[in-house]
Amino acid sequence: MTTKALPLLEPEIAAACCPPLTERPLTAEEAERTAVMFKALGDPVRLRLFSAVASHESGEACVCDISDVGVSQPTVSHHLKKLKDAGLLSSERRGTWVYYRVEPAVLAAMGALLARAGGA
Amino acid sequence: MTTKALPLLEPEIAAACCPPLTERPLTAEEAERTAVMFKALGDPVRLRLFSAVASHESGEACVCDISDVGVSQPTVSHHLKKLKDAGLLSSERRGTWVYYRVEPAVLAAMGALLARAGGA
């Protein structure tokens, strides 16, 4: 009884992808994959929703928890779906609500992309 | 392909902005500022150009160094300008060419945003 859509980007793939941006030029294929994640966070409302989910107690939240970003609930759901399609959130339906959770591996992979080459 | 300009973002402002996304929900203003940086990297060509500059020897590159991403030189220049407007690159004209350099503070700030709250 789940409405799960096929994600465009599997967390494992994202996590496996790509050295730090400062290490070597990304290939076209790497850039295609990685841009999806950055693009998903490149919208102020999505970024607020993402941080609302990421910082919510127990690391997950439903639409009912995070609807105070000044847009309608359908719009919230729409943006949460985009974050999910980009592999940044996973979701699970429990009763009335769909609960969203941050994919830590993807967050870590994005952080690693932005690290300085050679560590630190 | 949009011709919309990304808002200007000063490196100092970007670097000062915002706790990790997992710490607390971003405010509307913080999200507006921060989304600009993610949006700039949310395009495969810009991401390749950014990594080409970031990984180029001496940490800077001119259009002449990084034009092998399969788009025309004017398009390269256009995307480099967007990265600059987002505060991710700085530029300096020397002779015929404009040289681009990564703003390390901005890269660090973006990395910090994606870090897990509470370190690690």
Side-chain angles (χ1 to χ4, degrees):
Chain A
M1 169 96 176
T2 167
T3 58
K4 204 170 151 189
L6 277 176
L8 296 175
L9 194 70
E10 294 292 346
E12 309 74 45
I13 294 171
C17 182
C18 312
L21 295 176
T22 55
E23 195 172 299
R24 61 162 172 78
L26 295 186
T27 66
E29 194 222 354
E30 288 170 343
E32 288 285 347
R33 276 196 226 170
T34 308
V36 170
M37 300 187 282
F38 285 114
K39 189 174 180 181
L41 294 181
D43 174 274
V45 173
R46 280 202 294 277
L47 202 48
R48 288 187 77 190
L49 289 172
F50 184 81
S51 67
V53 172
S55 62
H56 202 259
E57 56 180 321
S58 78
E60 66 171 17
C62 69
V63 176
C64 54
D65 293 319
I66 51 172
S67 44
D68 59 344
V69 294
V71 296
S72 69
Q73 192 179 297
T75 302
V76 168
S77 294
H78 165 80
H79 281 304
L80 287 173
K81 185 176 182 312
K82 285 208 165 186
L83 287 165
K84 192 183 154 188
D85 288 347
L88 293 172
L89 297 179
S90 58
S91 71
E92 189 190 348
R93 179 175 288 276
R94 291 203 298 275
T96 311
W97 296 103
V98 177
Y99 288 80
Y100 292 87
R101 174 176 286 279
V102 167
E103 285 291 342
V106 176
L107 205 63
M110 289 183 77
L113 275 166
L114 297 168
R116 303 288 293 166
Chain B
M1 178 75 116
T2 173
T3 55
K4 211 169 125 185
L6 293 166
L8 281 168
L9 193 72
E10 296 296 337
E12 309 75 40
I13 294 172
C17 180
C18 310
L21 295 176
T22 55
E23 196 172 299
R24 62 163 172 76
L26 294 187
T27 66
E29 195 221 353
E30 288 171 343
E32 287 286 346
R33 276 196 227 170
T34 309
V36 170
M37 300 187 283
F38 285 113
K39 188 174 179 180
L41 294 182
D43 174 275
V45 173
R46 281 203 293 277
L47 201 49
R48 287 187 77 189
L49 290 171
F50 183 80
S51 67
V53 172
S55 63
H56 202 259
E57 56 180 321
S58 77
E60 67 171 17
C62 69
V63 177
C64 54
D65 292 321
I66 52 171
S67 44
D68 58 344
V69 294
V71 296
S72 69
Q73 193 178 296
T75 302
V76 168
S77 295
H78 165 81
H79 282 304
L80 287 172
K81 185 173 183 312
K82 286 206 163 187
L83 287 165
K84 191 184 156 186
D85 288 348
L88 293 172
L89 297 179
S90 58
S91 71
E92 189 190 348
R93 178 174 287 277
R94 291 205 298 274
T96 312
W97 296 103
V98 179
Y99 288 80
Y100 292 88
R101 175 176 286 280
V102 168
E103 285 291 342
V106 177
L107 204 62
M110 288 184 78
L113 275 166
L114 297 169
R116 302 290 292 167

